């Protein structure tokens, strides 16, 4: 049985969070004189501390995601959200996590920063989790399993059945990183949060929402998990400008949807064009806004593209990804240019 208390670090359990001025007095919109936070009183739009609980933003997000605002924690990118998970639940030099390469590199980096062992269990050849091997790798100090779906850099979604198996047998947290879910036909796991107390979903405004520069990451989980994370988050981790820009963008969702539809159409065109190139051996099906392709020599092709002004990602050093490049879908013109350059290579 999953027991949140069992997997929470002792120091976090006994922690009393820092209470900021903006936590203690919550403005109800009436005209008050704020002499509590040592701010500069001359108004310039950002002279006041931001809302530490990002209430306006969470209200809109909660409505769009179909979940209560107390199931949401926001961070300075999903990278901060992931780091908070490590710090809340993993005891340095004792606990371990499981990741499924080839996958997003930050899980490994964060495990290193937090002195947590990262047990890697390779995906199968079709880039799906090897559930038996994962269960074999679990011990009493295994706190989290990270699943990226759609997966970066392979682009495929992870099987619902396999995720369900892990959610049901594992007594730690199953963290599903849905950075690319908005490009995918698969449904978000957010709808399943009430069925699984050990499920954590992370999302971001960095990809489909086009706001990588403002850094806004989203964690969706049970109220109990969110309460633990709130205890350790820096009080003002999401700044005022980020909160404003995110709110504006979320209010124009039709615009975001149009961009996503355009990118998906461009992805199909690029996919077809890539298949015609002789040195491209395989294009992997993608539920994201990028395509992983297997070429004859990824390092050679990477440098040829670079010399011609096109920067792509060489993933050839990742397991199961020998001689692969990852192409992000750009604008129509950028994709045409990519194809032109690829066609010119010898
Ligand atoms: C890009 C990406 C993110 C986004 O991270 P942010 O810190 O929110 O920009 C998260 N997870 C994966 C797998 C990604 O590829």
């Amino acid at each position: 049985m999953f027991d949140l208390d069992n997997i929470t670090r002792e120091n976090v359990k006994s922690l009393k969070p820092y209470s900021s001025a903006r936590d203690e007095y919550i403005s109800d919109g009436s005209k008050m004189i704020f002499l509590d936070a040592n701010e500069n009183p001359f108004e310039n739009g950002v002279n006041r501390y931001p809302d530490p609980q990002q209430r306006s933003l969470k209200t809109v997000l909660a409505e769009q995601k179909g979940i209560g605002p107390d199931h949401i924690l926001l961070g300075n990118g999903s990278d901060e959200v992931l780091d908070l998970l490590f710090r809340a639940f993993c005891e340095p030099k004792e606990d371990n996590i499981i990741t499924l390469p080839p996958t997003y590199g930050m899980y490994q980096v964060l495990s290193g920063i937090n002195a947590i062992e990262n047990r890697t269990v390779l995906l199968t050849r079709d880039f799906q989790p090897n559930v038996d091997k994962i269960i074999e790798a679990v011990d009493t100090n295994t706190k989290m399993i990270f699943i990226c779906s759609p997966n970066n850099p392979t682009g495929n979604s992870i099987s619902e059945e396999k995720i369900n198996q892990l959610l049901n047998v594992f007594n730690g947290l199953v963290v599903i990183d849905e950075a690319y879910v908005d490009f995918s036909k698969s449904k978000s796991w957010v709808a399943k949060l009430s069925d699984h107390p050990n499920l954590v979903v992370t999302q971001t405004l960095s990809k489909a929402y086009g706001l990588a520069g403002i850094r806004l990451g989203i964690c969706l989980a049970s109220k109990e998990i969110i309460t633990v994370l709130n205890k350790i988050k820096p009080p003002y981790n999401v700044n005022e400008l980020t909160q404003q820009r995110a709110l504006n963008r979320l209010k124009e969702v039709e615009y975001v949807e149009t961009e996503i539809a355009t990118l998906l159409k461009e992805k199909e065109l690029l996919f077809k064009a890539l298949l015609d190139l002789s040195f491209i051996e395989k294009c992997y099906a993608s539920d994201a806004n990028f395509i992983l392709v297997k070429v004859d020599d990824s390092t050679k092709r990477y440098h040829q593209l670079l010399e011609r002004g096109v920067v792509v990602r060489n993933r050839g050093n990742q397991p199961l990804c020998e001689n692969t490049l990852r192409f992000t879908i750009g604008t129509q013109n950028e994709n045409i240019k990519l194809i032109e350059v690829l066609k010119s290579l010898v």
Side-chain angles (χ1 to χ4, degrees), residues 77-79 104 107 148 152 177 179-180 204 206-207 215-217:
S78 21
D79 291 346
Y104 186 45
Y107 316 136
C148 186
N152 177 5
D177 183 339
Y180 299 97
T204 177
S206 294
K207 305 286 158 61
R215 314 302 301 129
L216 192 91

Side-chain angles (χ1 to χ4, degrees), residues 76-80 82 103-107 148-152 177-180 202-207 211-212 215-218 290 326:
N76 185 19
S78 21
D79 291 346
E80 184 186 36
L82 297 169
T103 194
Y104 186 45
M106 269 314 275
Y107 316 136
C148 186
S149 183
N151 188 40
N152 177 5
D177 183 339
E178 294 188 334
Y180 299 97
T202 66
Q203 296 182 352
T204 177
L205 297 193
S206 294
K207 305 286 158 61
L211 295 178
R215 314 302 301 129
L216 192 91
I218 307 167
F290 56 81
R326 193 191 66 197

Side-chain angles (χ1 to χ4, degrees), residues 115-129:
I116 304 301
E117 181 194 350
N118 176 21
R119 300 190 170 173
T120 56
V121 180
L122 278 194
L123 293 173
T124 55
R125 296 235 144 249
D126 57 349
F127 301 136
Q128 291 296 330

Side-chain angles (χ1 to χ4, degrees), residues 4-15 83-95 114 116 143 228 231-232:
L4 186 63
D5 234 35
N6 256 343
I7 70 155
T8 306
R9 287 171 68 194
E10 286 304 324
N11 63 318
V12 172
K13 272 192 243 178
S14 56
L15 192 75
D83 187 52
L84 289 173
L85 288 166
F86 274 92
R87 291 200 281 143
F89 302 112
C90 299
E91 197 60 43
K93 299 183 183 176
E94 273 179 34
D95 290 335
N114 289 288
I116 304 301
K143 296 300 185 73
V228 174
K231 278 173 99 172
I232 65 166

Side-chain angles (χ1 to χ4, degrees), residues 127-161:
F127 301 136
Q128 291 296 330
N130 189 330
V131 173
D132 292 340
K133 286 243 171 73
I134 294 169
I135 293 168
E136 235 171 76
V138 169
D139 66 16
T140 53
N141 287 314
T142 307
K143 296 300 185 73
M144 303 192 279
I145 300 175
F146 285 90
I147 298 173
C148 186
S149 183
N151 188 40
N152 177 5
T154 58
N156 63 298
S157 297
I158 302 299
S159 136
E160 187 181 333
E161 189 196 336

